Amino acid sequence: MKEGGRRRSLAAWLPGIAAVMFVAGVAVILAVAVGTVGGAREAATMDDARVAASLWELTGGSADVVARLRPGGITVEAVEDGGAGPGAYAYETGALEPGVWIGVAPRQGAGWPASATALALLGALFMAAWAATRLRSPPPRRYPAAIALVATGLLVMVAAAAQRWAERELTDLSAARVAQGIGAVEIAIRAGAAPDRAARVAGLPWATSAALERPDQLWTMPREVGEAIVSSPQSGDTAPYTVEARGATYHGARLIPSPPAQDALHLVFLGYEETASPDVALAASAAGSTLLVALVLFLLPLSARPRTLRRTLSAWGFLAPAATLLLVFTFGPLLFSLWISLHEWHLVDPAHPFTGLDNYRSLLVDGDWWSAIRNTAIFTLHVPLAMAVALALALLTRGSRRAARWARLALFLPGITSVVAIAVVWKWLLNDGYGLVNRLLEGAGLGSVPWLTSPDTALGSLMLISVWMVVGYQMVVFQAGLAAIPRDWYDAARVDGAGPLQRLRHITLPGLRHTLFFVLVTSVIGSFQVFGLVYVMTEGGPLGATDVAVYHIYREAWEFLRFGSAAAMSWMLFAIVFVATWLHFRFLEGRREGRVHA
Amino acid sequence: MLDRAGRAALLTLACAAMAAPFLWMAATSLMGQLEVFSSGRVLPAVPLWSNYPEALTAQPFARYFLNSLVFATAVVTGQVATATAAGYAFARIDFPGRDRVFMLFLSTMMVPVVIVLIPRFLMIDAIGWIDSYQGLVSTELVSVWGIFLMRQYFRTVPRDLEDAARVDGAGPFRVFWSVALPLAKPAVATLALFAFIDAWKNLLWPLLVTRSMEMRVVEVGIAAFHSTYEINWPYQMAAGVVAVLPIALLFLFTQRYFVRGIQLEGIR
Amino acid sequence: MSPAPQGVSLRGVEKRFGNVTAVAAVDLDVRPGELMVLVGPSGCGKSTLLRLIAGLEEASAGEVWIGGRHVDDVAPGDRDVAMVFQSYALYPHMTVARNLGFGLRVRGAGRDEITARVGEVATVLGLTELLSRRPGQLSGGQRQRVALGRAMVRDPGVFLFDEPLSNLDAGLRLRTRDEIAALHQRLGTTMVFVTHDQVEALSLGQRVAVMDRGRLQQVGTPHEIYRIPANLFVAGFVGSPPINRLRLARDRDERGGRLRAARDAGASGHGGQGRLAGGPFRFAGKWPFDEATLGVRPEDLAVAVPGASRADFEATIVRVEALGSEQRLHLDGPADAAWVARAPPAMRVTSGDAVGVSVAWERTHLFGPDGGRLGAAPSPIRPLRAS
């Protein structure tokens, strides 16, 4: 094989570019880590300043008190020209007299994480070495895959190291905030403020005096955290506590006012951080850079064939809109939903403690959920019924183009039109006293049926309506399938003396097998997701008789706001749909294979 | 099995049974509020046309329709754009990993929508798009079914045409835009139709992301109307007729595209 | 008007589709201004080769040069080639005028320039009245012209034709063939023309490249291809009715034993003086092999009344095809060998006649066991007369 000189040089450069991109990926991870810490540090400094200003106001302008809060950290000085000393953070609040400045010294950082930098250098070195070997001889075929693995591993290690460093930094910061918060609340209480007012002054989420029994509050300290703080041995008057509970680290404090009087046990809740879960930004950036490296490694072998490379790039250009949307709104949410399902996740509570498989575990014994699944499964039984009707209709309209067209016109509409409107109509049709159906039945002397109001019949009614809705669509599919069966086969069968039933059994059904399978799978998947009918007609009732899976999930998430458990339900539903589809495939395809081989 | 007359009778019966609810809906929509409860009445004594303006102004249905129209149009535009481009790449451009990527895309058709609703909601909420057109539309802009449909169709377009365009000097996008896409018009029409109707019928997602009355789409609007005017059946039926009518008309004039879409979907 | 014609050269070009090798190690030079025809049976790789030149396929190995430029990394549109497809590949949604102008439009030519150029080409091809029609409204011949016009509009350095005549009926095909030849003369552009029809190839090509199973079998003028076929395949593929073949095997000597290998023979043990025999003939020579094939074109067999002149062998006429301009005689010769010979239309023969057949030895071909041509067969040392 001959290669143009231009191509060779291009191929030689690309490993170098890959190395650079790898380093860039590492740099992104580190930058995000440093940025997170830097942002937190900035926010903490701002908080300090704000608290200092509030205290200044509260204590009537006593610089001493404020400065005592954090010796070395905060200085209050009256400066006319507005400038603070070097390295000081100046904060001005409208409440302060003009010309009074509070300087807050920024905290010292620990600098860059050394281990991550070392790893990054190692990785870059490795990639460069690889580039060097590639220059000399073309690599064996599996080489790029191995490099991709190693690079991915290195990136993950860098990300992990960066994350550990960032976590330690953040923990340091929050310990400092705990101390500062306790001081602030103490001063505020001493100045005569109520604990919650003091907390607000100190810019803290919550503070209370000995009252843990207020679960109605939006910002609640989890009970076990409060209890842990109260019951823990006292280590000094104002001790910060960090309590590990439910996958998060809670920072709290208990403080006893200096004249230890009455029942005034003050609890301060200073917030929490989720230590058990990796920082989302970090994970995302690590994934991003890994993707980047993988992309480079994927394009690398193509670089020797510029036209293939160009084609690949243009293909991804075409795919980009769809792929991006799918990534953001389908694949991403899939993982996100899995993630949510591992947490206790409420819409209004910013705390999302990690609970592992607890959601799934409790679902396993949740009778309501299983009854919803059972209802869904029973509901799905309308599919074979609808298919039988649709097939019969398709056979009836066969051979007459006009009949087929008219049947389509009449039958197709229910399947494509507004589900809500249909549900409302049927609700009226099946109305106990005045609905048309019961009136007809009564007129025929058959007595009325409590279609939607009895737990025994409600689900069955929904199934019938569903048959009515899907039958037109299925009929059209069957018509198309029937048209694809060669006429000759029937003629041949007729010549062989097969009757109509035998022709149906031996020619029509086998010829339609693909179509039947297709309709079955898509309809079952669809029927597992029924929502509109239930939402409008029965709202899951009566007595939960029509509570199907998707409606159950909807209520769990948007009525009870339990996102974590709703996500777990969705995943279980997905698993069930997946297994059902897979079994269909196995069963039907397997049987077909068997028949062919027999 | 059956003679001609028997078949015709059976078919007519089936069609009548299928169409009956719609007729009943139309009939009820013209009855008086109490008339519907008087037994023995199937047709209105006197058509009460005023039900329509009254029902439609009881809630801002015009606004609902506008919202549905905006929503469906945006979804159609987005899905046609993304699906034609992606379908073309899968059908015609030979790139490493193509079939695996395609299978990955296809596999999402098995995923129940509920599973992604919560994350989508949280994401839209985080951007601050709840109760806005952006929030309503952005998640619905790609349809894997559409990609599949377009891929199937593009594979039937003669390859020579694209080769000729390449020799004529057209780049990949030009080939797609000037040659492949114009030839795929029938499939685009089918895709657009299905996308429009799916968007029009979509209840769950608009229910979640819209809050104010001004942002409701027709489906959500009728559902809300239903729970507000629980026992006023004529009003509800009038609203229902108005919701069904556009789709029914659309279907009447575009029947063949539906059928083609279903046929394309069925062949593998 | 036309730019300088471009040469095309293929160097060791290979194309594999998975495990299938469609084109194997082809070296081919098309001279600037030449009309080169690629011919071969279907599936021989000739169309793939053309698509490789156009850039519609990418070579698995080897290089393609057009006009002294290495074009493997160049997109089809930038290769200065134009192509006429077997299906014509006219854009069905564009009018004839837009079809013709598409290449110019893509290249960003101005509207006036496009109109002028399209008008020019339409005049040459007689398409002026059809400019506003769509391809669906044209006859096969008209479509073919539009396809040709689309290629001409751009003044390419190289024209590529992929069986452009195969969808036309016989009469139109002949006429179009002449038109293409005339077009080539007028434009003087390099043309590469693919066909499976050997008559078309010989009549049209200045040079002809014969392909089989992905390999180039022979490149030469039509005369060379016909008169000096490089191998058995070329000899058999070109010419109608096909060349007569006679299998020859190493002859046993009078005593019935094999000839011993000569002392100076190669390590294989074969070679040296020997005789090959088949049908009525025996040939002496240096044969380093046990088998060969004799090829004789039908027109190189002269048929005469037995005994009228010196004949190489005698045969019986099995069937006579009277084609008007000539007669084809199917003969049954000695040792059950079947022959086809051409005879003048006036000759009075009927099936069942016994005739004497003489061979124009200087125009025969002897092919070695690998199919390669060894040269004209020497006159047989012992022609056997039919007894």
Side-chain angles (χ1 to χ4, degrees):
Chain A
M1 256 219 300
K2 285 173 271 181
E3 266 192 273
R6 197 167 54 84
R7 266 198 268 170
R8 189 189 304 257
S9 65
L10 187 68
W13 273 105
L14 261 140
I17 296 173
V20 169
M21 292 188 86
F22 176 80
V23 175
V26 171
V28 167
I29 293 176
L30 294 181
V32 170
V34 170
T36 311
V37 174
R41 204 176 277 163
E42 174 101 341
T45 313
M46 287 290 285
D47 278 351
D48 281 359
R50 203 171 289 119
V51 170
S54 302
L55 288 173
W56 172 274
E57 189 190 0
L58 199 70
T59 55
S62 160
D64 268 2
V65 178
V66 180
R68 222 181 47 210
L69 190 65
R70 272 204 62 208
I74 299 174
T75 54
V76 181
E77 43 191 330
V79 202
E80 296 297 327
D81 55 4
Y89 186 92
Y91 181 81
E92 187 184 19
T93 167
L96 297 181
E97 315 157 20
V100 174
W101 292 83
I102 300 170
V104 180
R107 298 169 203 277
Q108 292 302 306
W112 286 77
S115 55
T117 316
L119 271 174
L121 282 177
L122 191 74
L125 213 67
F126 191 72
M127 302 276 283
W130 174 55
T133 56
R134 221 194 119 95
L135 263 180
R136 238 172 284 128
S137 63
R141 292 182 68 180
R142 285 174 192 256
Y143 213 46
I147 292 291
L149 273 176
V150 172
T152 312
L154 281 172
L155 271 175
V156 169
M157 283 166 71
V158 171
Q163 190 207 327
R164 267 203 302 279
W165 168 77
E167 244 170 34
R168 209 176 54 227
E169 278 288 292
L170 289 173
T171 315
D172 283 356
L173 279 174
S174 43
R177 281 199 69 193
V178 169
Q180 172 229 326
I182 291 164
V185 171
E186 199 174 355
I187 291 166
I189 291 174
R190 208 170 293 154
D196 53 341
R197 157 108 175 108
R200 238 175 297 140
V201 164
L204 301 173
W206 188 67
T208 187
S209 52
L212 292 174
E213 298 81 29
R214 301 185 55 194
D216 55 318
Q217 276 198 340
L218 205 63
W219 291 79
T220 52
M221 184 189 300
R223 178 171 294 271
E224 55 255 60
V225 176
E227 279 164 0
I229 294 175
V230 172
S231 62
S232 60
Q234 195 178 336
S235 56
D237 275 356
T238 57
Y241 293 95
T242 55
V243 178
E244 300 275 346
R246 302 200 289 184
T249 304
Y250 292 84
H251 300 289
R254 149 171 137 175
L255 48 101
I256 313 232
S258 0
Q262 310 108 16
D263 56 343
L265 170 70
H266 296 301
L267 279 177
V268 186
F269 180 34
L270 297 157
Y272 41 79
E273 53 183 329
E274 286 165 38
T275 45
S277 56
D279 193 25
V280 175
L282 270 179
S285 66
S289 15
T290 309
L291 267 176
L292 217 61
V293 171
L295 186 69
V296 169
L297 287 167
F298 167 69
L299 292 178
L300 202 58
L302 295 181
S303 62
R305 292 176 288 154
R307 293 191 68 197
T308 314
L309 183 66
R310 242 177 288 156
R311 223 169 36 213
T312 309
L313 292 180
S314 77
W316 280 101
F318 280 113
L319 289 180
T324 312
L325 282 167
L326 275 179
L327 202 66
V328 174
F329 288 120
T330 300
F331 292 112
L334 267 178
L335 294 180
F336 190 15
S337 140
L338 194 62
W339 182 244
I340 291 173
S341 77
L342 301 177
H343 293 73
E344 186 179 312
W345 197 301
H346 283 255
L347 181 55
V348 288
D349 188 350
H352 314 302
F354 180 84
T355 55
L357 293 175
D358 280 2
N359 283 328
Y360 293 93
R361 215 171 293 143
S362 52
L363 277 186
L364 283 180
V365 294
D366 180 352
D368 288 348
W369 168 244
W370 284 109
S371 121
I373 288 285
R374 201 201 55 209
N375 289 339
T376 312
I378 294 174
F379 180 78
T380 299
L381 292 179
H382 83 271
V383 171
L385 179 62
M387 282 173 69
V389 175
L391 185 57
L393 285 169
L395 288 171
L396 271 179
T397 58
R398 191 175 201 199
S400 164
R401 212 168 257 271
R402 241 184 40 207
R405 244 200 28 239
W406 280 106
R408 271 206 293 268
L409 265 178
L411 303 182
F412 208 77
L413 195 54
I416 54 167
T417 195
S418 156
V419 178
V420 177
I422 280 176
V424 174
V425 175
W426 276 99
K427 201 170 170 183
W428 174 226
L429 271 170
L430 298 181
N431 187 294
D432 273 356
Y434 308 100
L436 181 67
V437 178
N438 274 347
R439 276 198 225 168
L440 290 177
L441 286 179
E442 275 168 13
L446 289 168
S448 67
V449 176
W451 293 104
L452 296 171
T453 46
S454 154
D456 300 329
T457 50
L459 192 57
S461 305
L462 290 191
M463 288 167 67
L464 284 177
I465 296 166
S466 213
V467 168
W468 176 77
M469 280 172 73
V470 299
V471 103
Y473 163 79
Q474 293 184 351
M475 182 194 70
V476 176
V477 180
F478 287 140
Q479 281 175 342
L482 284 174
I485 302 176
R487 199 94 236 147
D488 294 353
W489 293 7
Y490 287 98
D491 295 340
R494 216 173 290 214
V495 170
D496 285 345
L501 280 177
Q502 279 169 313
R503 291 204 294 270
L504 179 71
R505 162 85 182 74
H506 292 290
I507 295 176
T508 308
L509 290 182
L512 274 183
R513 200 186 290 138
H514 276 286
T515 316
L516 286 167
F517 179 65
F518 171 79
V519 170
L520 183 66
V521 170
T522 51
S523 303
V524 166
I525 291 180
S527 89
F528 265 91
Q529 306 193 44
V530 60
F531 172 77
L533 280 184
V534 176
Y535 175 76
V536 176
M537 295 184 72
T538 60
E539 295 178 31
L543 296 176
T546 58
D547 186 22
V548 292
V550 172
Y551 186 72
H552 195 84
I553 294 170
Y554 165 80
R555 297 230 311 168
E556 183 79 5
W558 274 276
E559 273 184 31
F560 309 121
L561 304 178
R562 289 192 290 258
F563 278 18
S565 133
M569 287 176 183
S570 333
W571 270 92
M572 280 178 82
L573 181 69
F574 182 28
I576 292 169
V577 170
F578 186 84
V579 169
T581 315
W582 185 74
L583 280 180
H584 276 136
F585 267 101
R586 281 289 300 209
F587 181 61
L588 291 171
E589 298 284 312
R591 242 179 35 167
R592 185 178 317 159
E593 292 299 311
R595 194 168 295 176
V596 168
H597 290 306
Chain B
M1 268 181 280
L2 287 167
D3 58 350
R4 251 185 103 78
R7 276 182 185 216
L10 216 68
L11 261 180
T12 315
L13 197 71
C15 291
M18 295 294 284
F22 290 113
L23 302 177
W24 176 241
M25 173 163 77
T28 308
S29 74
L30 295 171
M31 288 195 205
Q33 246 200 82
L34 295 174
E35 192 183 359
V36 293
F37 295 115
S38 63
S39 56
R41 275 248 171 272
V42 175
L43 289 174
V46 183
L48 208 58
W49 293 104
S50 62
N51 278 341
Y52 280 86
E54 278 164 22
L56 294 185
T57 48
Q59 282 198 359
F61 270 101
R63 178 77 198 194
Y64 298 167
F65 270 97
L66 177 72
N67 291 339
S68 271
L69 205 64
V70 169
F71 175 49
T73 312
V75 168
V76 167
T77 317
Q79 289 195 4
V80 166
T82 55
T84 48
Y88 178 72
F90 282 131
R92 274 296 192 257
I93 305 181
D94 186 22
F95 62 97
R98 174 178 72 177
D99 295 344
R100 252 172 290 169
V101 175
F102 183 60
M103 284 316 290
L104 184 68
F105 274 32
L106 268 197
S107 64
T108 61
M109 284 170 84
M110 259 197 334
V111 178
V113 187
V114 268
I115 207 165
V116 290
L117 285 182
I118 292 173
R120 281 178 180 178
F121 176 83
L122 291 175
M123 287 159 71
I124 295 296
D125 188 30
I127 321 173
W129 282 358
I130 293 292
D131 213 25
S132 72
Y133 285 132
Q134 303 93 288
L136 205 54
V137 166
S138 55
T139 58
E140 312 293 310
L141 293 179
V142 66
S143 143
V144 173
W145 177 82
I147 293 173
F148 177 72
L149 183 87
M150 291 314 300
R151 170 183 178 264
Q152 296 298 87
Y153 196 84
F154 278 126
R155 279 153 68 108
T156 66
V157 172
R159 206 173 192 137
D160 271 359
L161 289 174
E162 287 162 44
D163 285 344
R166 286 168 69 200
V167 174
D168 269 347
F173 184 76
R174 190 68 185 247
V175 173
F176 166 69
W177 185 254
S178 295
V179 178
L181 197 56
L183 294 176
K185 269 181 200 154
V188 170
T190 301
L191 169 61
L193 212 55
F194 274 88
F196 187 89
I197 281 171
D198 278 352
W200 193 271
K201 278 171 61 175
N202 198 339
L203 167 66
L204 193 45
W205 179 243
L207 188 65
L208 301 183
V209 284
T210 59
R211 284 189 182 142
S212 63
M213 217 178 222
E214 285 71 42
M215 287 307 300
R216 277 182 194 159
V217 297
V218 174
E219 285 287 275
V220 178
I222 295 183
F225 190 72
H226 168 68
S227 48
T228 317
Y229 293 82
E230 185 81 62
I231 50 161
N232 193 335
W233 290 108
Y235 276 22
Q236 289 192 44
M237 292 302 124
V241 167
V242 172
V244 168
L245 215 54
I247 299 289
L249 289 176
L250 187 67
F251 172 64
L252 201 64
F253 292 113
T254 54
Q255 211 203 131
R256 64 201 172 101
Y257 291 105
F258 280 94
V259 176
R260 176 165 26 214
I262 288 170
Q263 283 162 350
L264 266 177
E265 178 184 43
I267 50 166
R268 291 243 174 185
Chain C
M1 168 175 108
S2 295
Q6 312 268 300
V8 176
S9 86
L10 308 174
R11 304 194 185 153
V13 167
E14 268 190 45
K15 178 66 187 177
R16 289 183 295 270
F17 297 103
N19 292 329
V20 183
T21 304
V23 171
V26 166
D27 288 294
L28 179 68
D29 277 293
V30 183
R31 299 176 196 129
E34 186 177 34
L35 174 49
M36 164 76 83
V37 177
L38 293 177
V39 68
S42 61
C44 72
K46 55 189 190 300
S47 282
T48 308
L49 200 62
L50 195 75
R51 292 170 64 83
L52 281 164
I53 297 174
L56 296 172
E57 306 283 353
E58 290 153 42
S60 313
E63 296 177 0
V64 179
W65 292 69
I66 295 177
R69 193 159 61 117
H70 181 203
V71 293
D72 279 309
D73 298 343
V74 178
D78 301 331
R79 290 189 176 197
D80 197 17
V81 301
M83 188 159 168
V84 178
F85 291 82
Q86 182 173 7
S87 62
Y88 312 141
L90 302 179
Y91 312 124
H93 55 292
M94 300 185 195
T95 61
V96 169
R98 285 177 74 83
N99 261 288
L100 291 175
F102 184 73
L104 296 174
R105 208 146 50 88
V106 165
R107 285 180 165 69
R111 182 179 306 227
D112 298 339
E113 186 192 341
I114 295 176
T115 317
R117 190 79 191 97
V118 166
E120 217 171 285
V121 170
T123 315
V124 170
L125 293 173
L127 294 170
T128 315
E129 261 105 79
L130 308 176
L131 281 179
S132 56
R133 295 217 195 145
R134 290 185 190 245
Q137 303 164 301
L138 302 180
S139 72
Q142 288 168 331
R143 283 183 213 182
Q144 211 276 344
R145 276 159 187 282
V146 177
L148 200 61
R150 190 172 58 182
M152 285 167 61
V153 159
R154 280 172 34 218
D155 270 340
V158 181
F159 273 95
L160 305 175
F161 293 91
D162 189 3
E163 308 218 13
L165 308 181
S166 60
N167 285 343
L168 301 176
D169 61 58
L172 202 52
R173 191 181 309 170
L174 285 182
R175 227 168 40 234
T176 316
R177 191 209 285 171
D178 292 344
E179 276 174 23
I180 291 178
L183 190 72
H184 176 244
Q185 279 198 327
R186 198 175 61 226
L187 299 177
T189 317
T190 316
M191 293 185 176
V192 183
F193 190 102
V194 162
T195 179
H196 64 271
D197 180 348
Q198 45 107 4
V199 177
E200 206 167 285
L202 297 187
S203 81
L204 203 52
Q206 289 179 326
R207 283 199 302 156
V208 175
V210 185
M211 289 189 70
D212 183 41
R213 285 184 229 150
R215 291 187 182 276
L216 209 53
Q217 304 294 329
Q218 185 175 4
V219 182
T221 62
H223 186 81
E224 284 166 354
I225 297 283
Y226 192 79
R227 277 293 154 213
I228 320 170
N231 54 40
L232 200 50
F233 172 79
V234 175
F237 184 74
V238 176
S240 170
I243 198 164
N244 292 297
R245 300 175 190 204
L246 186 65
R247 286 280 291 257
L248 307 174
R250 185 167 281 272
D251 193 18
R252 293 159 186 273
D253 74 352
E254 279 80 1
R255 291 182 209 100
R258 255 177 196 286
L259 275 174
R260 264 174 297 148
R263 248 168 233 178
D264 58 347
S268 68
H270 293 295
Q273 289 291 340
R275 290 170 189 180
L276 290 168
F281 309 119
R282 285 188 180 188
F283 302 94
K286 267 197 160 186
W287 315 120
F289 41 76
D290 291 334
E291 276 184 10
T293 306
L294 173 71
V296 186
R297 296 224 177 261
E299 61 267 31
D300 297 332
L301 290 174
V303 176
V305 185
S309 66
R310 192 200 67 85
D312 285 312
F313 62 92
E314 289 182 358
T316 316
I317 298 180
V318 180
R319 193 158 83 87
V320 178
E321 290 181 65
L323 298 176
S325 62
E326 64 174 32
Q327 295 186 86
R328 285 183 192 166
L329 310 180
H330 296 251
L331 308 171
D332 184 15
D336 284 338
W339 303 85
V340 175
R342 282 192 165 137
M347 191 171 171
R348 305 177 125 229
V349 280
T350 51
S351 53
D353 288 359
V355 289
V357 182
S358 54
V359 179
W361 289 107
E362 70 284 1
R363 292 206 289 270
T364 59
H365 315 282
L366 200 54
F367 300 101
D370 61 347
R373 184 175 188 270
L374 304 168
S379 296
I381 55 165
R382 193 191 297 164
L384 302 176
R385 303 256 167 183
S387 45

